[in-house]
Amino acid sequence: MENRKKVAFYTLGCKLNFSETSTIARNFNDEGFDRVDFEEVADIYVINTCSVTENADKQFKQVVKKAMKLNEKAFVAAVGCYAQLKPEELAAVDGVDLVLGATEKFKITDYIHDLSKNDMGEVHSCEIAEADFYVGSYSIGDRTRAFLKVQDGCDYKCTYCTIPLARGISRSDALENVLQNAKEISTQNIKEIVLTGVNIGDYGKGEFGNKKHEHTFLDLVQALDKVEGIERLRISSIEPNLLKNETIDFVSKSRTFVPHFHIPLQSGSNDILKLMKRRYLREVYTERVNKIREVMPHACIGVDVIVGFPGETDEHFLETYHFLNEMDISYLHVFTYSERDNTEAANMPGIVPANVRAKRSKMLRGLSVKKRRAFYESQLGSDRTVLFESENKEGYIHGFTENYVKVKTPWNPELVNTLQEINLTKIDEDGSVRLEFLNKLAEA
């Protein structure tokens, strides 16, 4: 038998990247490659890059170094958002042989004719205007949940964001394709699907970004709710202006959609929201949260916030802090603003010093801990369903309830990837919640 080539993957960044890495990996599989862990010796290492994190280039260099240590003759390819935005920079990194931008990444197997090392990385990145076709994908990360991509790109012009430059215009998968992918996932004994995309509430713009919505986001969730064999569906991040009351009402009565929303706010100050060119004011955000609380009092609501945006004074920051403190939300994801090339915000006046950004970030992270604790306390004594994960962490198995409370109980391999009815009893010192099983079989 001929010696099959081995390929390994490393993903930086978001759930969407994970789903796309899986699709690229399946392409390699179809071409006769064997996938191995990134910690193993491989003939090809593919790194899916991210442009959002502050030290994207530093992380990338570390991953390349790791690959080279494992096999100095290996062929190294960089794909994804950072590869689209800064292809020359990545190509110049020692050891990199190939850099593929937004449209080329799904055709990577076409570029790997010859696995000999290049002196300088070969770059194939498109003009981002050409990134107009849609490639569907899903990933099966651990055995318990899958990330299903439904949309790509973004038509918004937020002044701090490079994603439209890295991923192109907003475009969606056809409804029948999404349902087909969901059915494929459901046959693999996976209990939960998380919907991902760049701006998923904008779902429905055609495959080539044509502006006519064939279907809306509400059509999508209603259709997915009917797919047999899926126990749970989770909406990842959705813009407040695109999260409609009809969708919230539908989720509250749905068979499979769980009461968990992640809604980016970015700032609690209308002045800053306008500078960011967000498409809503804080009043809209308040309405969304109140609506969710009205129909799903036990829902988990997560919030994205950016601190240290140009022009953010102490008053603006405190406005954000108090706004979030008073609102009935469950946790925060806090991002410290960092300048990005080719964005409007990079040239704005009123730069916030790094130490002030760090201090504000720390304050909001502290608030997040307080909010999560209060949310968990509000859930104690309630009956929930938990999906257990596959890892044994220091003798415990962890899982999440439908409304995203993290629970732990002594390790039992039979609980892996099962849904169990439980009662939430107390908060452990590590912050997760202890439980009692409602059905005695699970304890046996």
Side-chain angles (χ1 to χ4, degrees):
M1 178 187 144
E2 62 172 318
N3 196 2
R4 284 163 66 101
K5 296 272 186 229
K6 294 187 172 122
V7 60
F9 297 87
Y10 197 99
T11 306
L12 296 159
C14 64
K15 295 175 175 132
L16 182 57
N17 271 3
F18 279 93
S19 76
E20 293 183 340
T21 298
S22 287
T23 297
I24 294 166
R26 284 193 283 275
N27 295 344
F28 271 95
N29 205 22
D30 295 344
E31 296 286 331
F33 287 83
D34 286 330
R35 181 176 183 173
V36 296
D37 255 7
F38 202 84
E39 273 59 43
E40 295 178 41
V41 174
D43 302 286
I44 304 179
Y45 291 95
V46 179
I47 305 164
N48 195 352
T49 62
C50 170
S51 66
V52 176
T53 48
E54 170 100 53
N55 44 7
D57 51 339
K58 201 160 82 200
Q59 281 181 309
F60 176 74
K61 284 176 185 154
Q62 283 165 347
V63 178
V64 174
K65 208 176 260 173
K66 196 169 157 185
M68 292 283 84
K69 236 186 211 147
L70 290 161
N71 178 6
E72 59 180 25
K73 294 190 177 69
F75 189 89
V76 177
V79 302
C81 291
Y82 206 64
Q84 175 65 36
L85 290 174
K86 303 275 178 90
E88 278 73 24
E89 212 169 281
L90 293 193
V93 172
D94 218 18
V96 174
D97 301 294
L98 179 66
V99 179
L100 298 180
T103 58
E104 289 76 18
K105 63 187 170 194
F106 294 109
K107 306 180 231 162
I108 180 169
T109 51
D110 300 350
Y111 289 98
I112 301 182
H113 317 297
D114 156 28
L115 294 185
S116 52
K117 298 289 289 172
N118 296 324
D119 289 340
M120 176 77 185
E122 227 182 281
V123 172
H124 298 274
S125 72
C126 61
E127 285 305 312
I128 198 62
E130 293 163 24
D132 61 355
F133 59 88
Y134 184 86
V135 177
S137 48
Y138 61 85
S139 83
I140 295 167
D142 51 21
R143 286 183 308 162
T144 42
R145 69 175 58 82
F147 300 121
L148 171 59
K149 173 181 163 185
V150 300
Q151 182 275 343
D152 200 350
C154 188
D155 293 339
Y156 287 9
K157 301 282 186 283
C158 302
T159 53
Y160 52 81
C161 186
T162 56
I163 287 174
L165 301 172
R167 284 186 169 270
I169 53 175
S170 176
R171 55 210 188 271
S172 315
D173 207 349
L175 189 57
E176 54 273 23
N177 287 352
V178 176
L179 294 175
Q180 186 49 45
N181 282 339
K183 283 176 188 136
E184 279 176 31
I185 293 168
S186 74
T187 61
Q188 305 192 37
N189 191 26
I190 281 171
K191 303 283 194 288
E192 182 178 309
I193 291 179
V194 182
L195 302 185
T196 74
V198 174
N199 185 359
I200 63 174
D202 203 28
Y203 176 81
K205 285 184 180 161
E207 180 191 4
F208 294 95
N210 44 14
K211 297 305 171 223
K212 189 167 128 313
H213 279 63
E214 287 285 313
H215 297 99
T216 62
F217 184 69
L218 180 60
D219 294 338
L220 173 73
V221 296
Q222 287 172 331
L224 280 167
D225 198 44
K226 297 189 182 97
V227 175
E228 291 298 316
I230 297 166
E231 306 270 352
R232 278 185 179 182
L233 282 152
R234 204 179 284 279
I235 297 168
S236 60
S237 189
I238 183 164
E239 293 283 306
N241 49 309
L242 295 173
L243 177 57
K244 301 286 187 259
N245 284 345
E246 297 80 31
T247 306
I248 296 171
D249 279 327
F250 180 77
V251 168
S252 74
K253 303 183 190 75
S254 149
R255 180 181 72 86
T256 52
F257 277 91
V258 294
H260 175 203
F261 295 88
H262 192 93
I263 315 168
L265 168 68
Q266 310 311 16
S267 174
S269 157
N270 282 341
D271 294 347
I272 299 296
L273 287 173
K274 286 173 189 166
L275 285 176
M276 290 176 165
K277 291 194 178 163
R278 299 293 284 157
R279 296 201 177 188
Y280 54 86
L281 295 174
R282 58 187 252 167
E283 290 71 18
V284 170
Y285 201 92
T286 308
E287 276 168 31
R288 293 299 174 268
V289 171
N290 292 346
K291 172 69 183 171
I292 293 167
R293 286 281 166 244
E294 179 197 320
V295 294
M296 288 172 271
H298 61 298
C300 180
I301 302 174
V303 185
D304 286 342
V305 204
I306 295 172
V307 296
F309 189 79
E312 184 185 61
T313 60
D314 285 346
E315 289 72 27
H316 291 132
F317 172 70
L318 287 173
E319 225 183 310
T320 297
Y321 188 92
H322 295 311
F323 181 67
L324 289 165
N325 192 27
E326 283 152 30
M327 203 179 297
D328 190 358
I329 50 136
S330 318
Y331 64 89
L332 305 172
H333 280 173
V334 184
F335 298 90
T336 305
Y337 171 76
S338 64
E339 285 74 6
R340 289 282 175 271
D341 289 349
N342 303 317
T343 58
E344 233 181 289
N347 303 314
M348 285 182 178
I351 293 170
V352 178
N355 61 329
V356 177
R357 295 183 208 188
K359 185 179 148 204
R360 289 176 186 172
S361 172
K362 194 174 174 184
M363 277 177 73
L364 283 182
R365 291 202 168 106
L367 180 62
S368 181
V369 170
K370 194 178 103 176
K371 286 286 183 186
R372 193 185 297 266
R373 176 97 194 183
F375 173 60
Y376 281 9
E377 279 172 1
S378 76
Q379 297 304 301
L380 292 180
S382 64
D383 294 346
R384 296 278 169 244
T385 307
V386 64
L387 173 58
F388 282 105
E389 307 202 331
S390 50
E391 217 181 320
N392 181 344
K393 289 185 185 161
E394 297 174 358
Y396 287 94
I397 185 168
H398 290 78
F400 285 94
T401 62
E402 66 275 36
N403 60 341
Y404 216 55
V405 173
K406 188 177 187 183
V407 301
K408 70 187 261 196
T409 197
W411 172 255
N412 173 354
E414 284 168 27
L415 292 173
V416 170
N417 197 27
T418 66
L419 286 152
Q420 300 290 343
E421 305 293 317
I422 54 126
N423 179 274
L424 298 170
T425 55
K426 63 169 195 197
I427 301 178
D428 209 50
E429 53 261 32
D430 68 358
S432 52
V433 179
R434 303 300 287 258
L435 54 92
E436 275 172 9
F437 289 99
L438 296 176
N439 98 21
K440 291 296 166 206
L441 287 175
E443 291 179 340

